[in-house]
């Protein structure tokens, strides 16, 4: 067999790793699309070709290089959790380190995880200027388990190793050379440069250092380097054991022999592999990539090229979106009606960048380059030549419609017209233009320059090309796109609305905002729903509910309706900005307020509800089940393409802890039948809002997961 069902992954080790003699150098080429991951076929091929090169009298040096302009993206993540087949990466590394001929790894594209660890067992590493190196295992709930914690610490010292491995960041060639990870940066053809390098090694009789035996960077290490990192981060590292184990391993490199250190790392890696956080994070890795794919659209539909953009509205949202685009290198015209609004918008952008630079999270040069990409303009004519226009004005139907008519009047044919609406009907917006096929929702999340999620909202008339272009565009600006259908709240806010109702019901029954927020925080959310509402401000929702009540679409007399937020607003408590909302505030510090509890007692009395103690476990289950049930409806109504898209939306836009994999994954982990039974029991107790989703009932009865 040559390929997997997708037709891409070669299973034949002779094809996955090829051998050729070039002058006096054995070139071992890893060719396993798409990313040259170190799956069984590659590992087998590498061992075989290394032995061949060692036995080959013509080969005086060995060069390991990747095909398709990339080195190796790490272990094959699809093999995790399955019994290992073929040799381990450590077997290959031993063969490399012990080789009596110089072994050189030549890296282009990415050298990540097990890929970089493989290279750390070579005698020399050379790379192109564009290579990106890193040990990102932490993002999968793991640690580098092929000697990375030991070899890297011995090469660059514990402080730099902690930084690289705990952040999982990718570093560029100059930084890698500065740290000593790369011995030589090759301009021009990598293979030629690597062969020349290998021949020089042979001519000079250099065999090169074996990193695992290096000791100078790991003796006399100040123990505070390790203890400070532990103390500073212990709280932040909730939910996953990987960061703790990484620190343990790096410490082990400073006190154990090479063999003991490698054994220590192996045990720590095994522990991480068995941590539920690992399975959750691997789920999200694949879910994120799946979310970028649009079902039912031919692969021949190509995205339009987007080389420039205009943003209408220089408010907080418009400014945040402009920052995202500018940071991705796109020239942006930021439009507003008055010079005053533009000046305020640009000042806000400058202020945000200054904060990032002061905090050390962005280099001044990068911030300056982004600001230089943003061109403030007045007048819609300025939008005539851009490829994409994103509207980010007030959430008022008439205003948005007016803005779209104006954009339609000036935008060039083929431009994509996007709305950042979180609440309005995309089809209605599209219908005010003469080109509904080019109109799409691009729902960014606040702060838009930080939050990764973008809901791409597809109206009924949007063309396939527009959808594909919007998804590709979101990817290109380093966001995580999730395709959503057009309904109230789309995916994320619709679920938020549903579980918000449940949280309010819990308040009525006897919980307090504080208790619910702490329970959600303990579950892993960065903040609970009431703190979040207070932060966002309660007045906007109040006005929207008042409109809906006036329009007859919301019944304040319904037994489920809890008018706490309305009463807080009536009392002038609009949240953090007024010093009081669900909580009272001293600056940004929230405290529970007995007055709010008294309001709840009053509402409960009016509704004849007896308030009583509620367990934290009940809070978490009710809120999670509300998310899951609504999520299942969203999938069956085809508002989301698949259950895992909901996990991606919640993990990247709503603070759902990544180490729990998202609400739909959480449900699968508990078993869909168990979740279904809980929901059915809630339905019996609390009534129709808990009607189990038909999809959930069907999948639970079939004893299957969401994907069948
Ligand atoms: C590790 O190494 C453990 C070791 O320490 C210890 C072992 C003992 N495996 O992201 P893309 C697939 S842990 C399998 O869209 P890009 C991906 O699913 C690993 N598959 O491309 C997708 O498939 P599809 C540490 C992988 O150009 C396709 O490749 N390494 C792997 O935007 C294209 O991916 C990492 O965590 C893999 N390792 O970005 C690196 N990687 O088309 C993970 C990718 O069917 N990978 N795929 O959806 C990445 O960060 C990015 O893929 C990369 C390319 C930056 C390389």
């Amino acid at each position: 067999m040559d390929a997997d069902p997708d037709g891409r992954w070669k299973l034949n080790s002779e094809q996955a790793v090829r051998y050729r003699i070039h002058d006096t150098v054995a070139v071992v080429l890893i060719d396993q699309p798409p990313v040259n991951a170190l799956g069984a076929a590659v590992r087998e091929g590498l061992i075989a070709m290394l032995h061949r090169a060692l036995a080959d009298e013509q080969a005086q040096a060995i060069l390991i290089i990747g095909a398709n302009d990339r080195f190796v993206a790490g272990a094959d993540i699809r093999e995790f959790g399955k019994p290992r087949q073929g040799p381990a990466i450590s077997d290959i590394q031993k063969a490399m380190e012990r080789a009596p001929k110089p072994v050189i790894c030549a890296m282009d594209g990415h050298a990540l995880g097990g890929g970089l660890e493989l290279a750390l067992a070579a005698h020399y590493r050379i790379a192109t200027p564009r290579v990106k190196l890193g040990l990102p295992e932490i993002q999968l709930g793991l640690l580098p388990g092929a000697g990375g914690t030991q070899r890297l610490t011995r090469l660059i010292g514990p402080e730099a190793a902690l930084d690289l491995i705990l952040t999982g960041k990718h570093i560029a060639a100059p930084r890698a050379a500065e740290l000593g990870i790369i011995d030589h940066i090759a301009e021009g053809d990598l293979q030629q440069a690597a062969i020349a390098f290998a021949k020089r090694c042979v001519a000079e009789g250099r065999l090169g250092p074996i990193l695992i035996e290096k000791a100078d960077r790991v003796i006399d290490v100040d123990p505070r380097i390790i203890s400070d990192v532990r103390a500073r981060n212990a709280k932040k590292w909730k939910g996953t054991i990987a960061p703790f184990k990484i620190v343990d391993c790096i410490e082990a490199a400073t006190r154990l022999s090479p063999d003991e250190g490698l054994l220590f790392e192996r045990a720590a890696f095994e522990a991480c592999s068995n941590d539920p956080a690992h399975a959750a994070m691997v789920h999200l890795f694949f879910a994120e990539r799946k979310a970028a794919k649009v079902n039912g659209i031919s692969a021949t539909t190509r995205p339009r090229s987007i080389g420039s953009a205009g943003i209408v509205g220089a408010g907080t949202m418009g400014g945040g979106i402009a920052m995202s685009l500018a940071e991705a290198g796109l020239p942006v015209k930021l439009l507003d009606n008055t010079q005053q609004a533009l000046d305020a918008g640009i000042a806000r952008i400058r202020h945000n960048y200054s904060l990032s630079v002061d905090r050390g999270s962005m280099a001044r040069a990068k911030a300056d380059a982004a600001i230089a990409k943003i061109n403030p303009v007045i007048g819609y004519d300025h939008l005539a030549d851009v490829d994409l226009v994103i509207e980010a004005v007030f959430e008022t139907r008439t205003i948005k419609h007016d803005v779209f008519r104006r954009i339609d009047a000036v935008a060039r044919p083929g431009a994509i017209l996007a709305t950042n609406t979180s609440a309005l009907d995309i089809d209605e917006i599209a219908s005010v233009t003469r080109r509904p096929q080019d109109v799409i929702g691009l729902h960014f999340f606040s702060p838009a320059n930080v939050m990764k999620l973008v809901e791409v909202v597809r109206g009924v008339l949007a063309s396939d090309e527009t959808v594909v272009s919007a998804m590709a565009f979101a990817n290109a600006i380093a966001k995580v796109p999730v395709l959503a259908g057009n309904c109230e709240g789309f995916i994320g806010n619709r679920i938020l609305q549903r579980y918000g109702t449940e949280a309010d019901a819990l308040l009525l029954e006897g919980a307090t905002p504080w208790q619910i927020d702490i329970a959600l925080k303990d579950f892993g959310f960065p903040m609970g729903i009431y703190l979040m509402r207070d932060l966002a401000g309660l007045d906007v929702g109040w006005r929207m509910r008042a409109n809906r009540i006036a329009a007859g679409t919301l019944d304040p007399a319904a037994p489920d309706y809890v008018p706490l937020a309305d009463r807080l607003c009536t009392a002038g408590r609009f949240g953090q900005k007024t010093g009081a909302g669900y909580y009272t505030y001293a600056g940004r510090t929230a405290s529970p307020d007995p007055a709010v509890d008294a309001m709840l007692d009053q509402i409960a009395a009016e509704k004849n509800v007896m308030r009583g103690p509620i367990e934290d476990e009940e809070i978490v289950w009710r809120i999670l089940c509300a998310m899951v049930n609504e999520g299942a409806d969203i999938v069956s109504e085809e508002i989301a393409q698949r259950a895992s898209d909901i996990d991606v939306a919640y993990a990247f836009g709503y603070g759902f802890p990544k180490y729990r994999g998202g609400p739909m994954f959480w449900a699968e982990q508990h078993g869909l039948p168990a979740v279904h039974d809980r929901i059915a029991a809630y339905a019996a107790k609390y009534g129709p809002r808990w009607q189990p989703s038909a999809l959930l009932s069907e999948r639970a009865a079939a004893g299957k997961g969401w994907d069948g």
Side-chain angles (χ1 to χ4, degrees):
M1 189 171 16
D2 291 330
D4 72 346
D6 296 341
R8 284 191 320 186
W9 299 77
K10 293 167 192 162
L11 301 178
N12 181 331
S13 63
E14 278 167 34
Q15 284 190 3
V17 182
R18 297 200 295 274
Y19 183 90
R20 192 159 59 90
I21 286 285
H22 205 290
D23 281 347
T24 51
V25 179
V27 178
V28 175
L29 179 79
I30 304 173
D31 184 5
Q32 182 73 320
V35 294
N36 295 339
L38 290 173
V42 173
R43 296 195 307 272
E44 255 164 34
L46 276 172
I47 276 283
M49 297 311 155
L50 276 171
H51 286 144
R52 181 167 166 189
L54 292 173
D56 188 338
E57 281 176 8
Q58 248 189 296
Q60 295 181 9
I62 304 167
L63 170 64
I64 303 177
I65 191 166
N68 307 315
D69 302 328
R70 53 172 84 232
F71 190 60
V72 171
D76 185 341
I77 299 170
R78 299 168 317 154
E79 287 183 354
F80 290 158
K82 299 181 185 149
R84 198 191 74 216
Q85 292 183 332
I89 300 175
S90 56
D91 298 328
I92 305 165
Q93 291 169 315
K94 272 184 212 137
M96 291 164 71
E97 277 172 338
R98 288 187 197 141
K101 307 176 180 183
V103 179
I104 295 114
C105 280
M107 302 178 285
D108 194 5
H110 285 100
L112 301 174
L116 178 55
E117 292 176 290
L118 184 79
L120 290 173
H123 301 127
Y124 297 103
R125 286 154 296 282
I126 86 165
T128 60
R130 62 172 209 123
V131 79
K132 290 277 189 292
L133 304 178
L135 293 173
E137 285 86 345
I138 192 165
Q139 281 147 18
L140 299 169
L142 287 178
L143 52 84
T149 63
Q150 304 304 296
R151 290 189 180 85
L152 192 71
T153 306
R154 287 165 177 274
L155 176 62
I156 66 175
E159 229 168 341
L162 282 166
D163 175 50
L164 209 63
I165 302 177
L166 285 172
T167 57
K169 66 186 169 194
H170 298 180
I171 55 168
R175 175 69 184 142
E178 195 185 320
L179 284 169
I181 300 175
I182 296 176
D183 298 296
H184 177 65
I185 299 181
E187 305 289 345
D189 184 82
L190 177 65
Q191 181 167 313
Q192 267 176 22
I195 289 172
F197 186 96
K199 284 164 77 177
R200 268 203 311 279
C201 289
V202 173
E204 291 164 16
R206 281 195 282 150
L207 192 53
I210 296 177
L211 298 187
I212 196 67
E213 289 168 1
K214 237 170 100 43
D216 55 313
R217 303 300 300 265
V218 288
I219 47 171
D220 296 333
V221 172
D222 182 349
R224 278 172 305 185
I225 293 176
I226 305 285
S227 57
D228 284 0
V229 170
R230 281 201 185 105
R232 264 202 319 273
N233 295 296
K235 254 192 179 161
K236 195 173 97 188
W237 291 339
K238 215 176 99 178
T240 145
I241 60 171
F244 297 97
K245 296 277 177 195
I246 287 169
V247 180
D248 293 349
C249 287
I250 290 174
E251 183 185 42
T254 68
R255 61 182 171 79
L256 298 181
S257 70
D259 284 347
E260 288 169 337
L262 289 172
L263 274 177
F264 187 96
E265 185 197 81
R266 175 109 304 264
F269 183 81
E270 288 303 324
C272 292
S273 303
N274 295 326
D275 183 12
H278 165 56
M281 289 161 102
V282 167
H283 163 74
L284 277 178
F285 176 86
F286 288 117
E288 182 188 339
R289 280 149 185 87
K290 220 190 263 175
K293 300 186 167 85
V294 184
N295 293 336
I297 292 189
S298 143
T300 56
T301 308
R302 304 306 308 154
R304 289 182 207 161
S305 136
I306 295 178
S308 61
I311 294 171
V312 183
T316 309
M317 197 41 128
I321 298 172
M323 290 167 79
S324 292
L325 272 54
E327 284 163 35
L330 218 66
V332 180
K333 291 180 178 172
L334 184 61
L335 181 145
D336 214 314
N337 290 334
T338 64
Q339 194 58 47
Q340 203 186 1
L342 274 182
D343 289 347
I346 294 292
R348 195 179 306 109
I349 290 172
R350 284 188 180 281
H351 176 69
N352 287 339
Y353 278 129
S354 295
L355 289 179
S356 303
V357 171
D358 292 348
R359 221 184 289 128
S361 58
M362 188 178 276
R364 165 59 62 200
K366 189 170 176 207
D368 288 346
I371 291 171
K373 290 272 178 200
I374 303 174
N375 178 14
V377 295
I378 294 180
Y380 281 74
D381 287 348
H382 287 284
L383 303 179
D385 59 354
V386 298
D387 300 325
L388 164 74
V389 182
I390 305 175
E391 161 281 310
V393 301
F394 290 115
E395 278 293 344
T396 309
R397 193 168 161 270
T398 47
I399 297 180
K400 295 243 190 216
H401 287 192
D402 181 50
V403 165
F404 263 82
R405 283 192 196 95
R406 285 160 176 248
I407 298 170
D408 185 30
V410 296
R412 67 164 185 74
I416 290 177
L417 314 189
T419 168
N420 181 51
T421 185
S422 59
L424 299 177
D425 186 322
I426 304 283
D427 294 327
E428 261 189 31
I429 293 176
S431 71
V432 306
T433 72
R434 294 161 300 171
R435 41 177 132 183
Q437 74 281 359
D438 294 331
V439 176
I440 192 112
L442 282 178
H443 181 207
F444 289 78
F445 289 74
S446 192
N449 54 316
V450 177
M451 298 300 289
K452 287 285 199 187
L453 176 66
V454 173
E455 279 181 323
V456 174
V457 189
R458 173 182 206 163
V460 280
L461 293 175
S463 71
D464 285 357
E465 201 189 18
T466 300
V467 172
V468 167
S469 304
M471 297 292 285
F473 165 76
N475 249 328
I477 59 165
K479 296 292 182 192
V480 176
V482 170
L483 187 65
N486 184 24
C487 71
E488 203 177 312
F490 313 134
I491 296 174
N493 283 349
R494 179 166 154 184
I495 292 175
L496 178 64
Q497 166 72 30
R498 172 66 191 92
Y499 85 79
T501 305
E502 204 51 38
D504 288 351
L506 286 158
L507 290 183
L508 192 65
E509 291 165 37
T512 63
W514 190 256
Q515 189 196 359
I516 292 177
D517 281 355
I518 295 285
L520 290 175
K521 205 159 176 226
D522 285 348
F523 180 81
F525 281 94
M527 69 169 78
I529 183 164
Y530 294 106
L531 268 176
M532 192 170 79
R533 285 186 187 170
D534 269 358
L535 193 64
L538 305 180
D539 42 336
V540 178
W542 184 38
R543 272 197 299 275
M544 279 164 65
R545 283 192 301 280
N547 288 341
R548 289 177 59 204
I549 290 170
T553 55
L554 183 66
D555 177 10
D560 284 357
Y561 189 80
V562 182
L564 177 63
D566 298 340
R567 294 197 189 174
L568 291 171
C569 289
T570 310
R573 303 174 65 123
F574 294 152
Q576 203 190 93
K577 63 187 172 190
T578 56
Y582 288 97
Y583 301 108
T584 46
Y585 290 87
R588 289 181 181 184
T589 309
S591 316
D593 187 343
V596 174
D597 221 26
M599 281 184 189
L600 279 167
D601 284 341
Q602 172 69 33
I603 295 168
E606 290 164 18
K607 290 187 173 273
N608 284 325
V609 174
M610 275 288 284
R611 297 188 79 215
I614 302 210
E615 298 285 319
D616 289 353
E617 200 251 12
E618 164 86 359
I619 291 174
V620 169
W621 268 85
R622 290 260 295 275
I623 286 181
L624 265 290
C625 284
M627 287 182 175
V628 172
N629 207 35
E630 193 67 30
D633 276 344
I634 283 173
V635 175
S636 59
E637 290 168 30
E638 296 182 4
I639 295 297
Q641 297 191 90
R642 43 187 96 81
S644 62
D645 284 7
I646 292 173
D647 292 335
V648 174
Y650 260 71
F652 290 95
Y654 291 82
F656 198 99
K658 293 203 172 98
Y659 60 81
R660 293 196 193 265
M664 307 308 271
F665 182 78
W666 175 90
E668 271 186 342
Q669 293 305 97
H670 284 87
L672 297 189
V675 172
H676 175 270
D677 291 351
R678 278 269 189 144
I679 290 176
Y682 293 149
K685 191 165 172 193
Y686 302 110
R689 74 171 187 270
W690 275 109
Q691 175 64 35
S693 154
L695 179 69
L696 173 61
S697 302
E698 177 211 309
R699 296 293 149 92
K704 293 191 173 150
W706 296 114
D707 294 335

